[in-house]
Amino acid sequence: MKTIWKYQLALVDHRQRVIMPAGAEVLSVAMQHGVPTLWAQVDTDTQSICTRLFIVVGTGHAIPEVPLKFVGTVMDGPFVWHVFEALG
């Protein structure tokens, strides 16, 4: 069965690992109750899990020189954060 799960991201640790079912599809990222939150479609019948690396970069900050996939942008008052998934 497919469903949508949410994962909270931290702004204090710009590189963070998220454990989710293998094959999960990231749908969006937004602020929810002041916390950057990522939503993904997961297959709850999947028994294997994987660890994925997400990187949060503030506007004007350097983007790591690794292969990345843009996930989305979140706003927190005057701050704007951009979320990427590290590939490979």
Side-chain angles (χ1 to χ4, degrees):
M1 175 175 78
K2 292 194 179 189
T3 188
I4 297 174
W5 287 3
K6 73 176 183 178
Y7 301 89
Q8 293 182 332
L9 302 174
L11 294 177
V12 294
D13 183 7
H14 296 285
R15 292 176 179 254
Q16 48 214 292
R17 299 191 185 284
V18 176
I19 298 170
M20 56 180 59
E25 177 188 354
V26 174
L27 300 175
S28 67
V29 62
M31 292 299 271
Q32 184 180 43
H33 308 296
V35 178
T37 305
L38 179 145
W39 285 268
Q41 178 179 293
V42 304
D43 184 343
T44 57
D45 295 326
T46 299
Q47 304 233 343
S48 61
I49 60 169
C50 64
T51 302
R52 293 165 69 169
L53 176 63
F54 292 91
I55 299 172
V56 181
V57 180
T59 297
H61 294 226
I63 298 171
E65 302 262 341
V66 297
L68 300 171
K69 177 182 177 186
F70 177 73
V71 174
T73 296
V74 296
M75 294 185 209
D76 182 23
F79 303 104
V80 180
W81 306 95
H82 310 281
V83 180
F84 298 86
E85 182 174 6
L87 303 175

